[in-house]
Amino acid sequence: MNSRIRKAVFPVAGLGTRFLPATKAMPKEMLTVVDRPLIQYVIDEARAAGIEHFVLITGRGKGVIADHFDFQIELEATLRERGKTEAVEQLAAFMPTPGQMSFTRQQSPLGLGHAVWCAHDLIGDEPFAVLLPDMIMQADPGCMAEMVAVYNETGGNVIAVEECDPALTNQYGIVGVGKKAGTGGAFEITGMVEKPAPDKAPSNLYINGRYILQPQIFAHLAKQQRGAGGEIQLTDAMIALSKEQPFYGCRFNGRTYDCGSKIGFLTANIAFGLDRPELSSELKQELRELLAKHGG
């Protein structure tokens, strides 16, 4: 029987330079899509998949993330005094239980692989998930829930993938597609290539920022070998581990928004706003007026 996925790692140490000056004093993970910060979307996705322990890899100036997942006694007291019980209940709904969150620092910006390695003592010798907070997803069930279902059938390592324009494979990590695995749409991954030219790409399925990994990945990350950009790349360690263990692809059929880009972030706000019944009608009208004004 496969070990249950109990823990997840969230790399939140990045500087968010593409969103300056907004991120000069505020972590990019606290930028809001409608009325929730990015980090809350991915924590909620992990929680819905059965994750019990959330490990955040932080850096300087990221203390506000921990504050967001903590009680604010004065705020709660003020809300109760004003009879805003719905707001109190809304805040309580996403609060972790005591001991459910851990924080450790990545002192140097050495890449995603290094950030994941920083969690090795907190993860220990058990499989775990990794969720990139820049990537928020719209689907029911969520992407991580689908991946856990695949993992429960296949074991090994599972990577979420989705289709990109074949002409844009040089912007992503791309996987090779092998035979079907399990009863769903999962498949064996035959290879992983970082940003291949379109004529060299093994498929048009790109890695979208969700992973389930076995703890042996840490042995490869511990070698601290630098890859593209002079950083320690998670993909490089996965390629090395794939020579020892199977990797499976889980096709995600929802919509992913790359909130590390301005267009992705703006699109996410519109999409999630339209998905809210109390906002949808007015937002559609505002969009129609804006598009008419700008010749759309």
Side-chain angles (χ1 to χ4, degrees):
M1 183 175 177
N2 300 319
S3 299
R4 195 160 62 88
I5 306 301
R6 298 178 48 252
K7 299 178 181 178
V9 174
F10 304 83
V12 295
L15 297 175
T17 53
R18 283 186 283 182
F19 281 87
L20 288 170
T23 51
K24 181 174 183 288
M26 179 177 68
K28 66 175 180 177
E29 297 80 14
M30 291 300 294
L31 294 173
T32 55
V33 169
V34 187
D35 55 6
R36 297 160 63 197
L38 296 174
I39 186 62
Q40 190 177 327
Y41 282 94
V42 290
I43 292 283
D44 288 348
E45 179 189 333
R47 183 184 284 119
I51 301 296
E52 300 172 350
H53 193 134
F54 312 102
V55 180
L56 279 71
I57 313 302
T58 69
R60 294 182 63 187
K62 302 282 184 168
V64 68
I65 297 176
D67 291 342
H68 177 72
F69 292 101
D70 198 359
F71 286 104
Q72 293 191 14
I73 297 172
E74 297 85 355
L75 173 61
E76 186 172 326
T78 300
L79 290 172
R80 289 187 185 279
E81 286 173 8
R82 296 177 180 178
K84 297 184 179 294
T85 54
E86 185 178 345
V88 173
E89 291 170 359
Q90 185 181 38
L91 290 174
F94 70 83
M95 290 294 294
T97 58
Q100 198 174 25
M101 274 194 156
S102 297
F103 299 84
T104 190
R105 280 204 175 189
Q106 180 188 22
Q107 286 97 339
S108 301
L110 296 178
L112 175 59
H114 182 260
V116 172
W117 177 82
C118 288
H120 66 281
D121 277 345
L122 291 166
I123 296 298
D125 190 26
E126 60 183 291
F128 63 101
V130 178
L131 297 89
L132 304 190
D134 284 355
M135 313 296 280
I136 64 171
M137 299 177 176
Q138 205 170 30
D140 185 21
C143 183
M144 185 51 63
E146 290 186 5
M147 294 176 68
V148 169
V150 168
Y151 168 82
N152 288 339
E153 276 200 280
T154 64
N157 304 269
V158 181
I159 302 174
V161 298
E162 55 190 286
E163 291 187 2
C164 69
D165 182 332
L168 300 179
T169 57
N170 59 355
Q171 297 181 18
Y172 303 101
I174 303 294
V175 302
V177 180
K179 64 183 180 181
K180 179 179 168 62
T183 58
F187 60 90
E188 293 182 1
I189 290 176
T190 58
M192 289 170 270
V193 186
E194 190 66 29
K195 300 180 179 179
D199 61 337
K200 299 280 176 42
S203 76
N204 69 326
L205 293 176
Y206 76 94
I207 300 170
N208 69 5
R210 299 291 187 269
Y211 314 81
I212 291 175
L213 299 170
Q214 294 295 323
Q216 288 77 19
I217 193 77
F218 291 124
H220 293 283
L221 292 171
K223 297 174 184 177
Q224 306 281 295
Q225 292 179 341
R226 302 198 183 201
E231 296 182 337
I232 298 167
Q233 298 291 343
L234 181 60
T235 302
D236 292 343
M238 291 194 299
I239 291 170
L241 184 60
S242 69
K243 298 173 183 177
E244 306 162 7
Q245 297 180 358
F247 274 71
Y248 301 96
C250 174
R251 293 176 186 264
F252 176 59
N253 296 313
R255 176 70 191 267
T256 298
Y257 300 93
D258 180 1
C259 292
S261 75
K262 293 175 183 176
I263 290 297
F265 177 72
L266 292 170
T267 305
N269 270 278
I270 294 169
F272 280 86
L274 290 172
D275 208 36
R276 296 272 288 270
E278 76 277 19
L279 299 175
S280 179
S281 181
E282 288 185 54
L283 180 55
K284 286 178 183 176
Q285 181 58 35
E286 293 289 347
L287 289 171
R288 281 192 287 265
E289 292 178 10
L290 285 170
L291 288 170
K293 180 180 178 181
H294 291 276

